[in-house]
Amino acid sequence: MGAQVVSEIGDWFYTLAIYNLLLQLTGRAGSVAFGAGPPGSASDADRPTAGVVNDRLRRKHVMIASDIGRMLIVLCMLLIRSKEKVWLVYPLLMAETLLVRFL
């Protein structure tokens, strides 16, 4: 239970950092809303795929691979420092959201 609380707090700070980055680089609240997307937008389309993968492979390996992928995606977000590169946030957020479904 304690690990879940720490994980949720980390996710909250990550979300705040992304929203702050979008707001600072674009100066528009609409970019933050677009980055948030509708709740569960990626969950319905990829849930069957995640289920098949988790059924056929060892769950531990899937979770580790998913976490490593998410780590690399978040590290890529550190490269976004200008308004010209802000568009990269959106595909990275989608990829990170898709990988969360494998946990």
Side-chain angles (χ1 to χ4, degrees), residues 3 5 20 24 28 31-32 48 66 74-76 80 93 98-99:
V5 170
N20 189 35
Q24 281 186 353
R28 298 182 340 203
S31 65
V32 174
S66 177
V74 171
L75 287 174
C76 287
I80 302 167
L93 279 175
L98 290 173
L99 285 178

Side-chain angles (χ1 to χ4, degrees), residues 49-59 62:
T49 305
V52 169
V53 170
N54 282 325
D55 287 343
R56 296 184 185 197
L57 301 175
R58 292 188 63 193
R59 181 143 172 79
V62 173

Side-chain angles (χ1 to χ4, degrees), residues 4 13 16-17 28 30 33-34 66 68 71 74 85 94 101:
Q4 184 64 33
F13 281 116
L16 288 177
R28 298 182 340 203
F34 184 71
S66 177
I68 290 171
M71 177 190 71
V74 171
K85 292 184 181 180
M94 179 57 85
R101 301 298 174 208

Side-chain angles (χ1 to χ4, degrees), residues 4-17:
Q4 184 64 33
V5 170
V6 171
S7 177
E8 293 294 330
I9 292 171
D11 288 344
W12 177 246
F13 281 116
Y14 164 72
T15 302
L16 288 177

